[in-house]
């Protein structure tokens, strides 16, 4: 049970140690003081569930934490105790069953008990139902992660609607990657457009039992359809691509100048997009936003637990 503490104590005990390494300007006596408070029994608060990490190599540049062991160690060092892991191999490889099998094995062998594998299927390819069945029945995955921009389909594809229905019947969470990297830095031979989320409200009305999370979802919150997404669906969003000083708090209260919010805190989940992004970036979004204690607890863990438990 989480003890009742105020936001200031919670941040000092839980978030501040997690981001010490970000600023060489923080003094040693500040660290020592916080350490004394922790030793004296200051409540540590909930640990973090990261809903957006990937394993293995990104095809277009070397990543510091492409190896699973160092990535797990890095995440644990920032109080992340569970991470939902997709595979970068799913982006360009066509044999997704092999990709999913390797992902499941890597999470089991090298994940130190903290990695939950999220396999991938492509509804635009033949026999995707078998890939989905194996993700569920063979690999015991809690969900799947889709890459429409890289796999050549849009969200109004008729097989995508059917995939949502089958996933819902199996109780699988469906994550949709809106983007993986900024289109301006794509390899010149790659055509991977930003995923247009506009059809999603209408589609989810057809499959109301589907559980959908948009990851790297900042761009999905632009435009008029965001009002439909928030009002007419139960879709959730990760925070990896939310930008701006105090961006999370301003998104929640509807004052963010970039996004057509508001988006309730119950719809936002911690996601770092590690190792492509430094996981510290998402931690700083929590640290510098004017969030109350209850909002921090929801973002760090509560919303993710609730989403998987449905």
């Amino acid at each position: 049970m989480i003890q009742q503490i105020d936001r200031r104590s919670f941040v000092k005990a839980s978030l501040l140690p997690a981001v010490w390494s970000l600023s060489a300007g923080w003094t040693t006596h500040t660290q020592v003081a916080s350490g004394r408070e922790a030793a004296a029994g200051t409540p540590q608060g909930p640990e973090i569930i990261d809903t957006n990490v990937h394993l293995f190599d990104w095809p277009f540049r070397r990543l510091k934490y492409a190896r699973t062991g160092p990535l797990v160690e890095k995440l644990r060092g920032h109080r992340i105790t569970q991470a939902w892991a997709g595979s970068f191999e799913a982006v360009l490889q066509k044999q997704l069953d092999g990709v999913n099998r390797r992902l499941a094995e890597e999470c089991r062998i090298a994940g130190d008990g903290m990695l939950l594998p999220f396999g991938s299927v492509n509804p635009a390819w033949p026999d995707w139902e078998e890939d989905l069945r194996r993700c569920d029945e063979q690999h015991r995955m809690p969900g799947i992660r889709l890459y429409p921009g890289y796999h050549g389909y849009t969200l109004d594809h008729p097989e995508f609607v059917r995939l949502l229905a089958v996933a819902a019947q199996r109780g699988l969470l469906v994550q949709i990657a809106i983007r993986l990297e900024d289109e301006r830095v794509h390899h010149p031979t790659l055509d991977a457009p930003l995923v247009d989320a506009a059809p999603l409200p209408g589609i989810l009305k057809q499959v109301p039992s589907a559980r959908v999370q948009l990851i790297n979802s900042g761009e999905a919150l632009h435009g008029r359809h965001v009002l439909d997404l928030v009002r007419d669906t139960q879709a959730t969003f990760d925070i990896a691509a939310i930008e701006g000083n105090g961006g999370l708090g301003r998104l929640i209260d509807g004052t963010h100048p970039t996004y057509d919010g508001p988006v309730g805190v119950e719809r936002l989940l911690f996601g770092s997009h590690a190792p492509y992004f430094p996981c510290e970036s998402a931690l700083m979004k929590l640290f510098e936003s004017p969030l109350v204690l209850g909002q921090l607890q929801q973002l760090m863990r509560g919303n993710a637990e609730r989403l998987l438990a449905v």
Side-chain angles (χ1 to χ4, degrees):
M1 180 180 296
I2 297 171
Q3 301 180 52
Q4 296 301 312
I5 57 175
D6 59 33
R7 180 189 186 277
R8 181 177 180 181
S9 298
F10 178 84
V11 168
K12 289 176 68 176
S14 186
L15 289 182
L16 186 58
V19 296
W20 271 340
S21 61
L22 300 182
S23 175
W26 285 344
T27 61
T28 301
H29 75 266
T30 300
Q31 299 180 24
V32 170
S34 294
R36 287 173 179 167
E37 290 175 1
T42 302
Q44 298 296 296
E47 293 162 325
I48 301 170
I49 295 176
D50 191 336
T51 65
N52 178 11
V53 305
H54 281 86
L55 304 188
F56 309 125
D57 292 304
W58 177 240
F60 304 106
R61 67 177 173 89
R62 184 177 180 182
L63 300 177
K64 183 176 180 180
Y65 294 100
R67 291 175 52 237
T68 304
L71 175 62
V72 167
E73 184 178 356
K74 179 71 169 177
L75 296 174
R76 283 205 184 278
H78 291 298
R79 296 184 181 273
I80 294 167
T81 57
Q82 185 183 102
W84 303 354
S87 173
F88 277 140
E89 294 180 342
V91 174
L92 295 181
Q93 292 192 26
K94 294 188 69 175
Q95 297 295 328
L96 291 180
D97 177 55
V99 169
N100 294 335
R101 182 169 60 252
R102 184 179 179 211
L103 173 66
E105 291 174 353
E106 186 76 358
C107 289
R108 177 175 54 85
I109 295 170
D112 195 26
M114 69 174 292
L115 297 180
L116 297 184
F118 276 62
S120 185
V121 302
N122 185 344
W125 290 348
D127 207 25
W128 61 261
E129 299 96 329
E130 179 62 14
D131 285 335
L132 185 66
R133 185 192 69 79
R134 292 179 181 180
C135 285
D136 178 24
E137 298 179 12
Q138 183 174 335
H139 305 308
R140 296 303 189 189
M141 295 172 170
I144 56 173
R145 187 169 294 178
L146 307 181
Y147 306 94
Y150 292 85
H151 286 175
Y153 62 93
T154 57
L155 298 188
D156 56 4
H157 193 292
E159 288 297 288
F160 170 70
V161 181
R162 198 160 72 84
L163 181 150
L164 287 182
V166 176
Q169 290 172 359
R170 291 183 171 273
L172 296 173
L173 171 64
V174 177
Q175 294 183 318
I176 303 172
I178 298 299
R179 63 160 32 137
L180 292 180
E181 66 177 356
D182 193 303
E183 291 74 28
R184 293 171 293 183
V185 300
H186 278 174
H187 190 281
T189 62
L190 182 68
D191 181 18
L194 181 74
V195 176
D196 182 9
L200 200 53
I203 289 169
L204 289 178
K205 289 181 180 179
Q206 301 177 50
V207 193
S209 59
R211 288 180 294 143
V212 173
Q213 181 192 10
L214 307 185
I215 61 173
N216 303 330
S217 55
E219 289 296 328
L221 300 177
H222 291 195
R224 290 175 295 177
H225 64 269
V226 67
L227 300 176
D228 297 329
L229 271 173
V230 174
R231 182 185 62 232
D232 298 336
T233 80
Q234 294 302 311
T236 57
F237 314 88
D238 81 332
I239 68 170
I242 303 300
E243 300 177 347
N245 184 34
L248 287 179
R250 298 165 77 183
L251 176 64
I252 291 167
D253 64 24
T255 61
H256 200 295
T258 303
Y259 303 114
D260 296 318
V263 178
V265 66
E266 71 280 356
R267 306 286 285 276
L268 299 172
L269 287 75
F270 185 92
S272 68
H273 192 25
Y276 188 90
F277 287 169
C279 62
E280 294 91 343
S281 174
L283 287 164
M284 284 300 298
K285 297 177 197 295
L286 296 177
F287 182 74
E288 54 86 38
S289 289
L291 304 173
V292 300
L293 175 59
Q295 292 173 323
L296 286 170
Q297 292 171 335
Q298 287 180 272
L299 283 163
M300 291 171 69
R301 193 176 189 95
N303 291 341
E305 289 179 327
R306 185 173 63 252
L307 185 61
L308 273 194
V310 172

